[in-house]
Amino acid sequence: GAGVSQSPSNKVTEKGKDVELRCDPISGHTALYWYRQRLGQGLEFLIYFQGNSAPDKSGLPSDRFSAERTGESVSTLTIQRTQQEDSAVYLCASSGGPPNYGYTFGSGTRLTVV
Amino acid sequence: AQSVTQLGSHVSVSEGALVLLRCNYSSSVPPYLFWYVQYPNQGLQLLLKYTTGATLVKGINGFEAEFKKSETSFHLTKPSAHMSDAAEYFCAVSPNDYKLSFGAGTTVTVRA
């Protein structure tokens, strides 16, 4: 597609429920990233995909967080048993090459856990 | 390991005045450096990037940044602020791997 698409744009969920966040990267971009942005804070790295494998998942905060990517395209970030501290904007980005290409970000999913 | 420090979480400027956003990084190798802008309720947009070559980099919307290796800095400037420049700005560094490390961000407000 023309840009990185994320869905849903907003999600309100009850504490303890599971949520799935979706990211459609730019077609042909092999690298895909998830970041978390808490209110008033910078971006926290969560996970990096190269193709369908995740060579760096060091930023996932706990085992309640998981992500997968299929077909070198769509990625899903799943948060199980959500907690209030999971409330944040989850941003996805994709890149077509080395870091000097820069990232293209999606508009994010705003997750609110009540 | 690399890190990014943005001095000043909030900057307020008058319309038409100089915008200066400071960014210092630590990196064990010459890095790639980026500035991103985030408008309200939107994703991040690349403003400019330094990879190799000329140390003064020009970006979109009249912004530019200068890479100073001796000072480990990559400050962002715009000679004349416009109301539409009100946004949050993030400096980021990538020392030759795929991961970007972001600063905490600087929110710019522009006074009429």
Side-chain angles (χ1 to χ4, degrees), chain A:
Chain A
V4 178
S5 178
Q6 291 188 246
S7 60
S9 56
N10 281 283
K11 176 73 176 178
V12 179
T13 189
E14 292 181 353
K15 179 181 173 181
K17 301 280 190 182
D18 298 352
V19 295
E20 283 190 354
L21 313 180
R22 177 186 169 106
C23 173
D24 281 278
I26 291 174
S27 178
H29 278 194
T30 57
L32 185 147
Y33 308 80
W34 284 97
Y35 282 79
R36 178 169 70 176
Q37 186 178 25
R38 288 172 161 159
L39 187 64
Q41 299 184 26
L43 279 73
E44 299 173 69
F45 168 80
L46 297 179
I47 188 169
Y48 153 57
F49 286 94
Q50 179 60 37
N52 291 339
S53 64
D56 187 350
K57 51 180 81 172
S58 62
L60 294 178
S62 73
D63 59 8
R64 295 187 296 105
F65 287 72
S66 63
E68 65 175 15
R69 188 180 186 194
T70 56
E72 296 196 352
S73 180
V74 172
S75 176
T76 302
L77 177 69
T78 301
I79 308 174
Q80 296 178 309
R81 304 181 303 280
T82 52
Q83 303 294 313
Q84 288 186 330
E85 63 263 27
D86 300 333
S87 296
V89 176
Y90 290 82
L91 290 165
C92 176
S94 70
S95 176
N100 60 352
Y101 279 48
Y103 290 179
T104 301
F105 278 87
S107 297
T109 294
R110 183 176 299 277
L111 176 66
T112 304
V113 182
V114 298

Side-chain angles (χ1 to χ4, degrees), chain B:
Chain B
Q2 63 285 335
S3 66
V4 180
T5 302
Q6 290 184 239
L7 296 177
S9 58
H10 289 86
V11 169
S12 179
V13 298
S14 298
E15 193 173 19
L18 172 71
V19 180
L20 170 60
L21 305 183
R22 298 179 187 276
C23 174
N24 288 87
Y25 68 91
S26 64
S27 176
S28 57
V29 297
Y32 296 134
L33 295 159
F34 305 81
W35 276 97
Y36 283 85
V37 60
Q38 186 177 31
Y39 297 104
N41 300 314
Q42 295 186 28
L44 278 73
Q45 179 182 1
L46 181 65
L47 264 182
L48 50 79
K49 61 186 179 185
Y50 168 78
T51 54
T52 59
T55 57
L56 181 62
V57 181
K58 294 187 184 299
I60 62 171
N61 302 338
F63 283 93
E64 63 182 34
E66 186 171 11
F67 169 55
K68 292 187 176 180
K69 184 178 178 181
S70 61
E71 299 177 8
T72 60
S73 69
F74 192 56
H75 301 332
L76 180 71
T77 60
K78 181 173 180 177
S80 178
H82 190 273
M83 298 299 288
S84 61
D85 294 327
E88 189 162 19
Y89 293 79
F90 293 92
C91 182
V93 61
S94 181
N96 298 328
D97 65 22
Y98 282 84
K99 186 164 64 177
L100 288 184
S101 294
F102 286 85
T106 299
T107 300
V108 173
T109 56
V110 182
R111 305 184 303 272

